[in-house]
Amino acid sequence: MDASSLPGLSPLQRRKRAAILGGAKTVFLRQSFALAKMDDVAAAAGVGKQTVYRHFKSKEALFVGLVTLMCAQVGELLAAPQDAQSDGSPEVELRALGSLLAQILIAPDVLRLYRAIVAEAERLPELGQVFYENGAKVVRAFAANILRKRFDESTAALRAATFINLVLGDAYLELSIGYAVPEVEKRFALQIDEAVAAALR
């Protein structure tokens, strides 16, 4: 669900909320959360600072709102029907999921969001919880849903976690700390091969 489309908001309020979240994305992911100022968010959104505070009581609340929105957008991309034909086998579906997940998570803004979450999660425990519930947990659920075609529910859940960890692997760790990964697509392709094999063994 679009985080700007909350029940009870008028169309104008929804537009302003969406603009604020867009401004927050621009500012937080370019300047870092610690350096960002609400004045900058308001300017980027094209609204007054008091309008920002009417929608989000603090900079921390705004960041949580942005994380919630971006996690929902990732979930929508993963849930969207894929163009590639599938024979319905878990192997084909897992490979498609792994490829799409890697493609999404290495996008520059998504990497910046992940770095910002890691940097602030200890100080803002709610942030880590929101990211886990709306991001990591949702991604694992997609994998588990595929794996339930072959395994019972508990086994599918366990193997889904293994699958996601192996898909991301060292390549994602290196990217998340700013390390230049040569031949990144080949690295992820190899990791996805290993992830599929491990999940279905």
Side-chain angles (χ1 to χ4, degrees), residues 31-111:
Q31 297 182 14
S32 84
F33 174 79
L35 296 178
K37 295 180 172 57
M38 292 294 259
D39 290 294
D40 297 329
V41 172
V47 301
K49 188 164 73 169
Q50 290 306 311
T51 300
V52 176
Y53 279 112
R54 277 197 292 273
H55 286 270
F56 299 95
K57 63 182 180 180
S58 65
K59 187 169 78 166
E60 290 77 9
L62 177 54
F63 191 31
V64 169
L66 176 62
V67 170
T68 302
L69 173 62
M70 291 186 69
C71 285
Q73 290 171 341
V74 169
E76 289 169 3
L77 289 172
L78 292 174
Q82 301 304 305
D83 292 334
Q85 291 184 344
S86 170
D87 62 5
S89 71
E91 180 177 357
V92 170
E93 291 187 4
L94 284 174
R95 194 173 301 280
L97 175 62
S99 297
L100 181 58
L101 180 63
Q103 179 184 344
I104 291 169
L105 294 187
I106 66 174
D109 278 351
V110 179
L111 275 171

Side-chain angles (χ1 to χ4, degrees), residues 17 22 30 32 38 57 96 140-141 159 172:
R17 187 179 181 88
R30 298 303 184 272
S32 84
M38 292 294 259
K57 63 182 180 180
R140 288 178 186 172
R159 294 191 179 213
Y172 188 72

Side-chain angles (χ1 to χ4, degrees), residues 71-197:
C71 285
Q73 290 171 341
V74 169
E76 289 169 3
L77 289 172
L78 292 174
Q82 301 304 305
D83 292 334
Q85 291 184 344
S86 170
D87 62 5
S89 71
E91 180 177 357
V92 170
E93 291 187 4
L94 284 174
R95 194 173 301 280
L97 175 62
S99 297
L100 181 58
L101 180 63
Q103 179 184 344
I104 291 169
L105 294 187
I106 66 174
D109 278 351
V110 179
L111 275 171
R112 292 185 187 107
L113 179 71
Y114 178 70
R115 293 178 190 129
I117 291 167
V118 171
E120 299 296 331
E122 182 175 3
R123 191 176 67 84
L124 301 172
E126 180 187 0
L127 186 63
Q129 182 178 355
V130 165
F131 175 69
Y132 178 76
E133 293 293 335
N134 296 279
K137 191 173 179 180
V138 171
V139 169
R140 288 178 186 172
F142 279 107
N145 188 52
I146 295 169
L147 287 162
R148 278 198 294 271
K149 294 181 177 182
R150 185 167 297 184
F151 303 106
D152 62 63
E153 188 166 346
S154 61
T155 302
L158 180 62
R159 294 191 179 213
T162 298
F163 171 76
I164 298 301
N165 288 335
L166 290 175
V167 165
L168 300 180
D170 286 344
Y172 188 72
L173 172 62
E174 292 163 18
L175 287 170
S176 69
I177 60 175
Y179 185 80
V181 178
E183 299 186 313
V184 64
E185 291 181 0
K186 289 183 179 179
R187 283 282 302 277
F188 275 104
L190 290 171
Q191 290 177 180
I192 291 165
D193 286 344
E194 291 296 324
V196 172

